[in-house]
Amino acid sequence: MKAIIQRVTKASVTVGEEQISSIGRGLCVLLGISVEDTQKDVDYMVRKILNLRLFEDENGRAWSRSVMDRELEVLCVSQFTLQCILKGNKPDFHSAMPAELAQPFYNNMLEQLREAYKAELIKDGQFGAKMQVLIQNDGPVTIQLESPAGPTDPKLLSKQEKQQQRKEKTRSKGPSESSREKAALRSKAGASASSGAEGDVSSEREP
């Protein structure tokens, strides 16, 4: 899943001659859904959109507060063209999720945003419509975001699982056991060094 997140002073969506949605200060999010996206991608995007620190705090310090911290608005607009792959100069959109699947997927994401934040502060365009999107960028501040892709190859998944298991084994040793192992290694090294030094001294004393 790809998103273009813009900090705005205002943004609106018009379909035909009718303005169907608008916000004041906050975030305008253009969202492109991929054929490979899952619930994990939704969770990631919802978390990032609401927690990115793109706003100043009460003392004017930049990059200190999120849209939730400031209780500002969010306008989401579905934009499949973000999944474009160029073939020469011609855009190809086969990596975008088909509309009949993307619409419920997108609606689910909107619901999660509303549940995680304040429903009345999450606004939307009109899925599948030809929209005029007015964005008054503040800054300008624009963040390009892409949900992390998980491995789909079974061999890569198996390798990832083994790496995770090794990490867990390392953590399970605990600090005390790890410290004892380090101390034992140090004492062995010290004993070897001491033995070697004594041997040198004794050999020098022999007539």
Side-chain angles (χ1 to χ4, degrees):
M1 190 181 296
K2 296 180 180 180
I4 300 296
I5 302 172
Q6 299 183 67
R7 189 179 72 184
V8 300
T9 51
K10 64 179 180 179
S12 64
V13 176
T14 300
V15 176
E17 299 297 320
E18 180 186 1
Q19 185 181 97
I20 63 168
S21 192
S22 66
I23 63 169
R25 193 155 193 242
L27 298 177
C28 181
V29 181
L30 307 177
L31 196 72
I33 302 169
S34 160
V35 289
E36 297 179 351
D37 286 338
T38 67
Q39 184 58 43
K40 286 185 178 180
D41 298 281
V42 173
D43 295 341
Y44 176 85
M45 279 295 178
V46 167
R47 186 171 69 253
K48 286 297 183 182
I49 290 167
L50 296 179
N51 290 285
L52 280 172
R53 292 184 292 179
L54 301 182
F55 299 91
E56 69 283 354
D57 64 15
E58 57 277 5
N59 297 316
R61 187 177 61 174
W63 320 114
S64 300
R65 295 289 183 265
S66 69
V67 72
M68 283 205 303
D69 294 331
R70 295 295 304 271
E71 297 187 339
L72 301 174
E73 295 176 288
V74 179
L75 173 60
C76 288
V77 179
S78 177
Q79 188 173 350
F80 74 91
T81 58
L82 287 175
Q83 294 295 339
C84 166
I85 297 172
L86 286 179
K87 293 186 175 180
N89 291 323
K90 184 179 180 181
D92 182 281
F93 304 111
H94 283 95
S95 63
M97 186 178 287
E100 64 272 16
L101 299 176
Q103 185 165 11
F105 193 92
Y106 175 69
N107 289 339
N108 172 55
M109 181 168 169
L110 288 175
E111 285 306 309
Q112 281 197 220
L113 281 166
R114 290 174 178 131
E115 288 172 7
Y117 187 28
K118 296 181 177 180
E120 67 274 14
L121 296 181
I122 303 296
K123 306 294 178 64
D124 181 26
Q126 183 175 322
F127 188 93
K130 185 175 180 181
M131 296 173 276
Q132 301 296 317
V133 183
L134 174 66
I135 300 170
Q136 187 166 295
N137 198 309
D138 178 23
V141 173
T142 302
I143 304 295
Q144 185 176 347
L145 194 61
E146 186 168 356
S147 57
T152 54
D153 187 337
K155 290 180 181 178
L156 290 175
L157 284 168
S158 177
K159 185 178 178 181
Q160 194 176 65
E161 286 170 1
K162 287 177 181 177
Q163 288 175 342
Q164 186 61 31
Q165 287 171 359
R166 283 198 293 269
K167 286 179 183 178
E168 288 172 358
K169 282 182 181 178
T170 304
R171 288 195 205 101
S172 66
K173 283 186 175 182
S176 57
E177 188 175 340
S178 178
S179 299
R180 283 198 298 271
E181 287 176 357
K182 287 179 182 177
L185 287 170
R186 281 199 298 270
S187 65
K188 282 181 183 178
S192 299
S194 176
S195 173
E198 286 172 2
D200 292 342
V201 171
S202 64
S203 64
E204 287 172 4
R205 288 177 181 171
E206 289 179 3

